[in-house]
mmCIF file of all heavy atoms in Angstrom:
data_model
loop_
_atom_site.group_PDB
_atom_site.id
_atom_site.type_symbol
_atom_site.label_atom_id
_atom_site.label_comp_id
_atom_site.label_asym_id
_atom_site.label_seq_id
_atom_site.Cartn_x
_atom_site.Cartn_y
_atom_site.Cartn_z
ATOM 1 N N VAL A 158 -21.945 -15.531 8.161
ATOM 2 C CA VAL A 158 -20.659 -15.446 7.536
ATOM 3 C C VAL A 158 -19.762 -14.492 8.429
ATOM 4 O O VAL A 158 -20.204 -13.493 8.920
ATOM 5 C CB VAL A 158 -20.672 -14.736 6.187
ATOM 6 C CG1 VAL A 158 -19.286 -14.614 5.519
ATOM 7 C CG2 VAL A 158 -21.643 -15.531 5.254
ATOM 8 N N HIS A 159 -18.598 -14.945 8.742
ATOM 9 C CA HIS A 159 -17.682 -14.189 9.615
ATOM 10 C C HIS A 159 -16.244 -14.225 9.072
ATOM 11 O O HIS A 159 -15.774 -15.075 8.316
ATOM 12 C CB HIS A 159 -17.706 -14.717 11.051
ATOM 13 C CG HIS A 159 -17.282 -16.190 11.285
ATOM 14 N ND1 HIS A 159 -15.984 -16.383 11.487
ATOM 15 C CD2 HIS A 159 -17.948 -17.274 11.224
ATOM 16 C CE1 HIS A 159 -15.834 -17.711 11.641
ATOM 17 N NE2 HIS A 159 -16.990 -18.273 11.372
ATOM 18 N N LEU A 160 -15.601 -13.105 9.285
ATOM 19 C CA LEU A 160 -14.184 -12.865 8.881
ATOM 20 C C LEU A 160 -13.188 -13.828 9.638
ATOM 21 O O LEU A 160 -13.461 -14.036 10.831
ATOM 22 C CB LEU A 160 -13.805 -11.374 9.138
ATOM 23 C CG LEU A 160 -14.533 -10.412 8.355
ATOM 24 C CD1 LEU A 160 -14.379 -9.117 8.971
ATOM 25 C CD2 LEU A 160 -14.085 -10.390 6.927
ATOM 26 N N THR A 161 -12.256 -14.344 8.833
ATOM 27 C CA THR A 161 -11.139 -15.032 9.501
ATOM 28 C C THR A 161 -10.162 -14.036 9.837
ATOM 29 O O THR A 161 -10.172 -12.835 9.375
ATOM 30 C CB THR A 161 -10.621 -16.094 8.582
ATOM 31 O OG1 THR A 161 -10.045 -15.423 7.474
ATOM 32 C CG2 THR A 161 -11.641 -17.121 8.183
ATOM 33 N N GLN A 162 -9.006 -14.506 10.429
ATOM 34 C CA GLN A 162 -7.929 -13.479 10.736
ATOM 35 C C GLN A 162 -7.464 -12.926 9.371
ATOM 36 O O GLN A 162 -7.017 -11.773 9.354
ATOM 37 C CB GLN A 162 -6.749 -14.222 11.550
ATOM 38 C CG GLN A 162 -5.826 -13.368 12.048
ATOM 39 C CD GLN A 162 -6.296 -12.271 13.105
ATOM 40 O OE1 GLN A 162 -7.145 -12.551 13.912
ATOM 41 N NE2 GLN A 162 -5.758 -11.087 12.965
ATOM 42 N N LYS A 163 -7.223 -13.783 8.339
ATOM 43 C CA LYS A 163 -6.845 -13.376 7.051
ATOM 44 C C LYS A 163 -7.737 -12.299 6.515
ATOM 45 O O LYS A 163 -7.338 -11.311 5.938
ATOM 46 C CB LYS A 163 -6.632 -14.489 6.162
ATOM 47 C CG LYS A 163 -6.188 -14.113 4.789
ATOM 48 C CD LYS A 163 -6.087 -15.344 3.869
ATOM 49 C CE LYS A 163 -5.713 -14.992 2.436
ATOM 50 N NZ LYS A 163 -5.589 -16.170 1.554
ATOM 51 N N GLY A 164 -9.090 -12.520 6.688
ATOM 52 C CA GLY A 164 -9.987 -11.478 6.235
ATOM 53 C C GLY A 164 -9.910 -10.201 6.917
ATOM 54 O O GLY A 164 -9.961 -9.057 6.307
ATOM 55 N N ILE A 165 -9.682 -10.240 8.131
ATOM 56 C CA ILE A 165 -9.509 -9.060 8.971
ATOM 57 C C ILE A 165 -8.161 -8.258 8.540
ATOM 58 O O ILE A 165 -8.204 -7.096 8.350
ATOM 59 C CB ILE A 165 -9.456 -9.353 10.478
ATOM 60 C CG1 ILE A 165 -10.844 -9.850 10.944
ATOM 61 C CG2 ILE A 165 -9.005 -8.109 11.362
ATOM 62 C CD1 ILE A 165 -10.863 -10.529 12.361
ATOM 63 N N GLU A 166 -7.096 -9.020 8.439
ATOM 64 C CA GLU A 166 -5.845 -8.455 8.062
ATOM 65 C C GLU A 166 -5.707 -7.919 6.650
ATOM 66 O O GLU A 166 -4.963 -7.024 6.352
ATOM 67 C CB GLU A 166 -4.738 -9.564 8.256
ATOM 68 C CG GLU A 166 -4.464 -9.940 9.764
ATOM 69 C CD GLU A 166 -3.526 -11.062 9.920
ATOM 70 O OE1 GLU A 166 -3.150 -11.753 8.940
ATOM 71 O OE2 GLU A 166 -3.304 -11.449 11.125
ATOM 72 N N HIS A 167 -6.640 -8.461 5.811
ATOM 73 C CA HIS A 167 -6.630 -8.048 4.476
ATOM 74 C C HIS A 167 -7.240 -6.599 4.219
ATOM 75 O O HIS A 167 -7.188 -6.105 3.038
ATOM 76 C CB HIS A 167 -7.419 -8.970 3.490
ATOM 77 C CG HIS A 167 -6.532 -9.739 2.515
ATOM 78 N ND1 HIS A 167 -5.368 -10.300 2.716
ATOM 79 C CD2 HIS A 167 -6.679 -9.568 1.193
ATOM 80 C CE1 HIS A 167 -4.852 -10.800 1.607
ATOM 81 N NE2 HIS A 167 -5.640 -10.351 0.566
ATOM 82 N N GLN A 168 -7.967 -6.142 5.301
ATOM 83 C CA GLN A 168 -8.571 -4.875 5.041
ATOM 84 C C GLN A 168 -7.761 -3.715 4.632
ATOM 85 O O GLN A 168 -7.993 -2.917 3.788
ATOM 86 C CB GLN A 168 -9.297 -4.412 6.400
ATOM 87 C CG GLN A 168 -10.096 -3.120 6.231
ATOM 88 C CD GLN A 168 -10.974 -2.722 7.456
ATOM 89 O OE1 GLN A 168 -11.026 -3.550 8.400
ATOM 90 N NE2 GLN A 168 -11.641 -1.588 7.407
ATOM 91 N N LYS A 169 -6.487 -3.693 5.264
ATOM 92 C CA LYS A 169 -5.499 -2.593 4.808
ATOM 93 C C LYS A 169 -5.106 -2.753 3.407
ATOM 94 O O LYS A 169 -5.046 -1.729 2.721
ATOM 95 C CB LYS A 169 -4.375 -2.612 5.808
ATOM 96 C CG LYS A 169 -3.377 -1.474 5.612
ATOM 97 C CD LYS A 169 -2.254 -1.510 6.677
ATOM 98 C CE LYS A 169 -1.178 -0.465 6.521
ATOM 99 N NZ LYS A 169 -1.505 0.670 5.867
ATOM 100 N N LEU A 170 -4.803 -3.984 3.047
ATOM 101 C CA LEU A 170 -4.407 -4.259 1.645
ATOM 102 C C LEU A 170 -5.551 -3.771 0.697
ATOM 103 O O LEU A 170 -5.249 -3.252 -0.366
ATOM 104 C CB LEU A 170 -4.051 -5.686 1.511
ATOM 105 C CG LEU A 170 -3.185 -6.094 0.231
ATOM 106 C CD1 LEU A 170 -1.928 -5.223 0.024
ATOM 107 C CD2 LEU A 170 -2.795 -7.515 0.428
ATOM 108 N N VAL A 171 -6.764 -4.232 1.005
ATOM 109 C CA VAL A 171 -7.887 -3.829 0.037
ATOM 110 C C VAL A 171 -8.011 -2.320 0.019
ATOM 111 O O VAL A 171 -8.155 -1.751 -1.084
ATOM 112 C CB VAL A 171 -9.264 -4.472 0.594
ATOM 113 C CG1 VAL A 171 -10.397 -3.881 -0.160
ATOM 114 C CG2 VAL A 171 -9.088 -6.022 0.387
ATOM 115 N N GLU A 172 -7.900 -1.731 1.175
ATOM 116 C CA GLU A 172 -8.057 -0.144 1.172
ATOM 117 C C GLU A 172 -6.896 0.470 0.242
ATOM 118 O O GLU A 172 -7.194 1.327 -0.475
ATOM 119 C CB GLU A 172 -7.851 0.329 2.575
ATOM 120 C CG GLU A 172 -9.072 0.078 3.440
ATOM 121 C CD GLU A 172 -8.825 0.475 4.941
ATOM 122 O OE1 GLU A 172 -7.709 0.785 5.290
ATOM 123 O OE2 GLU A 172 -9.870 0.385 5.628
ATOM 124 N N GLU A 173 -5.640 -0.081 0.368
ATOM 125 C CA GLU A 173 -4.554 0.357 -0.451
ATOM 126 C C GLU A 173 -4.891 0.259 -1.909
ATOM 127 O O GLU A 173 -4.681 1.108 -2.812
ATOM 128 C CB GLU A 173 -3.301 -0.300 -0.186
ATOM 129 C CG GLU A 173 -2.691 0.083 1.202
ATOM 130 C CD GLU A 173 -1.504 -0.799 1.720
ATOM 131 O OE1 GLU A 173 -1.092 -1.632 0.825
ATOM 132 O OE2 GLU A 173 -1.028 -0.603 2.853
ATOM 133 N N LYS A 174 -5.340 -1.007 -2.301
ATOM 134 C CA LYS A 174 -5.737 -1.245 -3.730
ATOM 135 C C LYS A 174 -6.834 -0.362 -4.151
ATOM 136 O O LYS A 174 -6.880 0.060 -5.324
ATOM 137 C CB LYS A 174 -5.866 -2.806 -4.032
ATOM 138 C CG LYS A 174 -4.699 -3.581 -3.840
ATOM 139 C CD LYS A 174 -3.603 -3.245 -4.861
ATOM 140 C CE LYS A 174 -2.455 -4.071 -4.750
ATOM 141 N NZ LYS A 174 -1.345 -3.651 -5.613
ATOM 142 N N PHE A 175 -7.782 -0.160 -3.395
ATOM 143 C CA PHE A 175 -9.008 0.572 -3.553
ATOM 144 C C PHE A 175 -8.579 2.051 -3.974
ATOM 145 O O PHE A 175 -9.076 2.577 -4.987
ATOM 146 C CB PHE A 175 -9.946 0.596 -2.484
ATOM 147 C CG PHE A 175 -11.382 0.733 -2.757
ATOM 148 C CD1 PHE A 175 -12.266 -0.470 -2.946
ATOM 149 C CD2 PHE A 175 -12.071 1.911 -2.889
ATOM 150 C CE1 PHE A 175 -13.564 -0.344 -3.150
ATOM 151 C CE2 PHE A 175 -13.423 2.019 -3.219
ATOM 152 C CZ PHE A 175 -14.185 0.915 -3.297
ATOM 153 N N VAL A 176 -7.730 2.603 -3.189
ATOM 154 C CA VAL A 176 -7.242 3.957 -3.315
ATOM 155 C C VAL A 176 -6.400 4.004 -4.535
ATOM 156 O O VAL A 176 -6.570 5.041 -5.305
ATOM 157 C CB VAL A 176 -6.500 4.414 -2.107
ATOM 158 C CG1 VAL A 176 -5.742 5.720 -2.305
ATOM 159 C CG2 VAL A 176 -7.401 4.666 -0.836
ATOM 160 N N GLU A 177 -5.508 3.036 -4.763
ATOM 161 C CA GLU A 177 -4.728 3.051 -6.061
ATOM 162 C C GLU A 177 -5.614 2.981 -7.312
ATOM 163 O O GLU A 177 -5.427 3.745 -8.204
ATOM 164 C CB GLU A 177 -3.853 1.762 -6.058
ATOM 165 C CG GLU A 177 -2.595 1.770 -5.402
ATOM 166 C CD GLU A 177 -1.830 0.305 -5.497
ATOM 167 O OE1 GLU A 177 -2.068 -0.282 -6.530
ATOM 168 O OE2 GLU A 177 -1.171 0.039 -4.508
ATOM 169 N N PHE A 178 -6.623 2.252 -7.257
ATOM 170 C CA PHE A 178 -7.578 2.080 -8.360
ATOM 171 C C PHE A 178 -8.293 3.459 -8.572
ATOM 172 O O PHE A 178 -8.388 3.939 -9.712
ATOM 173 C CB PHE A 178 -8.640 0.986 -8.127
ATOM 174 C CG PHE A 178 -9.594 0.918 -9.276
ATOM 175 C CD1 PHE A 178 -9.321 0.404 -10.452
ATOM 176 C CD2 PHE A 178 -10.964 1.443 -9.116
ATOM 177 C CE1 PHE A 178 -10.307 0.342 -11.477
ATOM 178 C CE2 PHE A 178 -11.852 1.394 -10.187
ATOM 179 C CZ PHE A 178 -11.493 0.859 -11.374
ATOM 180 N N GLU A 179 -8.882 3.990 -7.509
ATOM 181 C CA GLU A 179 -9.604 5.258 -7.613
ATOM 182 C C GLU A 179 -8.602 6.280 -8.206
ATOM 183 O O GLU A 179 -8.995 7.179 -9.063
ATOM 184 C CB GLU A 179 -10.109 5.745 -6.221
ATOM 185 C CG GLU A 179 -11.414 5.086 -6.005
ATOM 186 C CD GLU A 179 -12.429 5.985 -5.264
ATOM 187 O OE1 GLU A 179 -12.177 7.155 -4.986
ATOM 188 O OE2 GLU A 179 -13.457 5.500 -4.894
ATOM 189 N N THR A 180 -7.439 6.404 -7.731
ATOM 190 C CA THR A 180 -6.473 7.379 -8.123
ATOM 191 C C THR A 180 -6.119 7.216 -9.683
ATOM 192 O O THR A 180 -6.099 8.237 -10.346
ATOM 193 C CB THR A 180 -5.087 7.320 -7.281
ATOM 194 O OG1 THR A 180 -5.443 7.579 -5.936
ATOM 195 C CG2 THR A 180 -4.096 8.355 -7.690
ATOM 196 N N GLU A 181 -5.935 6.020 -10.010
ATOM 197 C CA GLU A 181 -5.642 5.775 -11.423
ATOM 198 C C GLU A 181 -6.871 6.035 -12.412
ATOM 199 O O GLU A 181 -6.741 6.708 -13.410
ATOM 200 C CB GLU A 181 -5.160 4.348 -11.577
ATOM 201 C CG GLU A 181 -3.827 4.008 -10.962
ATOM 202 C CD GLU A 181 -3.477 2.532 -10.845
ATOM 203 O OE1 GLU A 181 -4.329 1.732 -11.420
ATOM 204 O OE2 GLU A 181 -2.644 2.178 -10.231
ATOM 205 N N PHE A 182 -7.939 5.518 -11.980
ATOM 206 C CA PHE A 182 -9.113 5.542 -12.846
ATOM 207 C C PHE A 182 -9.606 6.865 -12.964
ATOM 208 O O PHE A 182 -10.163 7.351 -14.072
ATOM 209 C CB PHE A 182 -10.259 4.569 -12.273
ATOM 210 C CG PHE A 182 -11.198 4.286 -13.347
ATOM 211 C CD1 PHE A 182 -11.094 3.176 -14.250
ATOM 212 C CD2 PHE A 182 -12.470 5.010 -13.583
ATOM 213 C CE1 PHE A 182 -11.992 2.871 -15.193
ATOM 214 C CE2 PHE A 182 -13.382 4.610 -14.519
ATOM 215 C CZ PHE A 182 -13.098 3.568 -15.363
ATOM 216 N N PHE A 183 -9.604 7.731 -11.941
ATOM 217 C CA PHE A 183 -10.199 9.095 -12.000
ATOM 218 C C PHE A 183 -9.060 10.185 -12.012
ATOM 219 O O PHE A 183 -9.320 11.321 -11.698
ATOM 220 C CB PHE A 183 -11.071 9.302 -10.787
ATOM 221 C CG PHE A 183 -12.326 8.324 -10.811
ATOM 222 C CD1 PHE A 183 -12.312 7.330 -9.832
ATOM 223 C CD2 PHE A 183 -13.350 8.581 -11.623
ATOM 224 C CE1 PHE A 183 -13.393 6.389 -9.933
ATOM 225 C CE2 PHE A 183 -14.476 7.685 -11.618
ATOM 226 C CZ PHE A 183 -14.407 6.614 -10.802
ATOM 227 N N SER A 184 -7.935 9.749 -12.496
ATOM 228 C CA SER A 184 -6.719 10.703 -12.346
ATOM 229 C C SER A 184 -6.960 11.967 -13.279
ATOM 230 O O SER A 184 -6.255 13.006 -12.933
ATOM 231 C CB SER A 184 -5.503 9.965 -12.845
ATOM 232 O OG SER A 184 -5.581 9.556 -14.277
ATOM 233 N N ASN A 185 -7.718 11.903 -14.224
ATOM 234 C CA ASN A 185 -7.858 13.124 -15.074
ATOM 235 C C ASN A 185 -8.985 14.007 -14.712
ATOM 236 O O ASN A 185 -9.423 14.954 -15.299
ATOM 237 C CB ASN A 185 -8.075 12.719 -16.638
ATOM 238 C CG ASN A 185 -9.269 11.938 -16.839
ATOM 239 O OD1 ASN A 185 -9.867 11.404 -16.020
ATOM 240 N ND2 ASN A 185 -9.683 11.904 -18.065
ATOM 241 N N LEU A 186 -9.527 13.702 -13.465
ATOM 242 C CA LEU A 186 -10.659 14.572 -12.986
ATOM 243 C C LEU A 186 -10.144 15.471 -11.856
ATOM 244 O O LEU A 186 -9.388 14.994 -11.053
ATOM 245 C CB LEU A 186 -11.846 13.750 -12.451
ATOM 246 C CG LEU A 186 -12.549 12.922 -13.486
ATOM 247 C CD1 LEU A 186 -13.670 12.052 -12.766
ATOM 248 C CD2 LEU A 186 -13.152 13.594 -14.536
ATOM 249 N N THR A 187 -10.635 16.582 -11.760
ATOM 250 C CA THR A 187 -10.371 17.509 -10.584
ATOM 251 C C THR A 187 -11.177 17.069 -9.408
ATOM 252 O O THR A 187 -12.068 16.332 -9.608
ATOM 253 C CB THR A 187 -10.706 19.020 -10.945
ATOM 254 O OG1 THR A 187 -12.111 19.115 -11.083
ATOM 255 C CG2 THR A 187 -9.936 19.493 -12.149
ATOM 256 N N GLU A 188 -10.813 17.597 -8.237
ATOM 257 C CA GLU A 188 -11.521 17.191 -7.056
ATOM 258 C C GLU A 188 -13.029 17.726 -7.178
ATOM 259 O O GLU A 188 -13.965 17.035 -6.792
ATOM 260 C CB GLU A 188 -10.923 17.881 -5.801
ATOM 261 C CG GLU A 188 -9.563 17.137 -5.427
ATOM 262 C CD GLU A 188 -9.701 15.610 -5.230
ATOM 263 O OE1 GLU A 188 -10.611 15.156 -4.496
ATOM 264 O OE2 GLU A 188 -8.970 14.865 -5.808
ATOM 265 N N THR A 189 -13.191 18.856 -7.793
ATOM 266 C CA THR A 189 -14.556 19.400 -7.981
ATOM 267 C C THR A 189 -15.355 18.477 -8.890
ATOM 268 O O THR A 189 -16.410 18.268 -8.697
ATOM 269 C CB THR A 189 -14.464 20.814 -8.572
ATOM 270 O OG1 THR A 189 -13.770 21.558 -7.686
ATOM 271 C CG2 THR A 189 -15.878 21.373 -8.822
ATOM 272 N N GLU A 190 -14.721 18.058 -9.991
ATOM 273 C CA GLU A 190 -15.406 17.103 -10.993
ATOM 274 C C GLU A 190 -15.763 15.851 -10.274
ATOM 275 O O GLU A 190 -16.801 15.253 -10.544
ATOM 276 C CB GLU A 190 -14.497 16.873 -12.152
ATOM 277 C CG GLU A 190 -14.433 18.071 -13.065
ATOM 278 C CD GLU A 190 -13.305 17.926 -14.171
ATOM 279 O OE1 GLU A 190 -12.242 17.252 -13.902
ATOM 280 O OE2 GLU A 190 -13.556 18.533 -15.245
ATOM 281 N N LYS A 191 -14.856 15.321 -9.346
ATOM 282 C CA LYS A 191 -15.158 14.068 -8.625
ATOM 283 C C LYS A 191 -16.454 14.257 -7.739
ATOM 284 O O LYS A 191 -17.320 13.347 -7.667
ATOM 285 C CB LYS A 191 -13.963 13.616 -7.862
ATOM 286 C CG LYS A 191 -12.833 13.076 -8.610
ATOM 287 C CD LYS A 191 -11.702 12.747 -7.745
ATOM 288 C CE LYS A 191 -10.331 12.504 -8.540
ATOM 289 N NZ LYS A 191 -9.200 12.374 -7.576
ATOM 290 N N LEU A 192 -16.524 15.422 -7.080
ATOM 291 C CA LEU A 192 -17.565 15.766 -6.270
ATOM 292 C C LEU A 192 -18.937 15.815 -7.051
ATOM 293 O O LEU A 192 -19.945 15.254 -6.712
ATOM 294 C CB LEU A 192 -17.410 16.989 -5.458
ATOM 295 C CG LEU A 192 -16.416 16.909 -4.364
ATOM 296 C CD1 LEU A 192 -16.204 18.278 -3.862
ATOM 297 C CD2 LEU A 192 -16.820 15.961 -3.217
ATOM 298 N N ILE A 193 -18.840 16.393 -8.277
ATOM 299 C CA ILE A 193 -19.960 16.474 -9.152
ATOM 300 C C ILE A 193 -20.329 15.120 -9.657
ATOM 301 O O ILE A 193 -21.622 14.802 -9.670
ATOM 302 C CB ILE A 193 -19.725 17.480 -10.310
ATOM 303 C CG1 ILE A 193 -19.505 18.910 -9.860
ATOM 304 C CG2 ILE A 193 -20.782 17.343 -11.393
ATOM 305 C CD1 ILE A 193 -18.980 19.835 -10.843
ATOM 306 N N LEU A 194 -19.322 14.334 -9.978
ATOM 307 C CA LEU A 194 -19.718 12.939 -10.411
ATOM 308 C C LEU A 194 -20.422 12.175 -9.393
ATOM 309 O O LEU A 194 -21.385 11.495 -9.700
ATOM 310 C CB LEU A 194 -18.378 12.319 -10.807
ATOM 311 C CG LEU A 194 -18.467 10.842 -11.527
ATOM 312 C CD1 LEU A 194 -19.312 10.980 -12.784
ATOM 313 C CD2 LEU A 194 -17.107 10.383 -11.815
#
């Protein structure tokens, strides 16, 4: 299995959505609580 150009270019978009999700889902935790988790 190998990445196409679209697959390579999508990395930045996936990273953005990943960070958005993490920020939203864990928004009520402190940085310390996230490390403990």
Side-chain angles (χ1 to χ4, degrees):
V158 182
H159 61 92
L160 294 162
T161 62
Q162 191 61 38
K163 180 179 179 178
I165 293 166
E166 292 170 357
H167 240 63
Q168 183 173 356
K169 184 172 174 36
L170 194 53
V171 169
E172 288 172 355
E173 289 171 5
K174 291 298 178 184
F175 211 95
V176 169
E177 276 178 33
F178 177 76
E179 278 214 4
T180 302
E181 293 167 7
F182 201 84
F183 298 105
S184 63
N185 64 338
L186 298 179
T187 66
E188 289 305 311
T189 302
E190 289 170 328
K191 289 177 193 176
L192 290 172
I193 292 168
L194 188 59

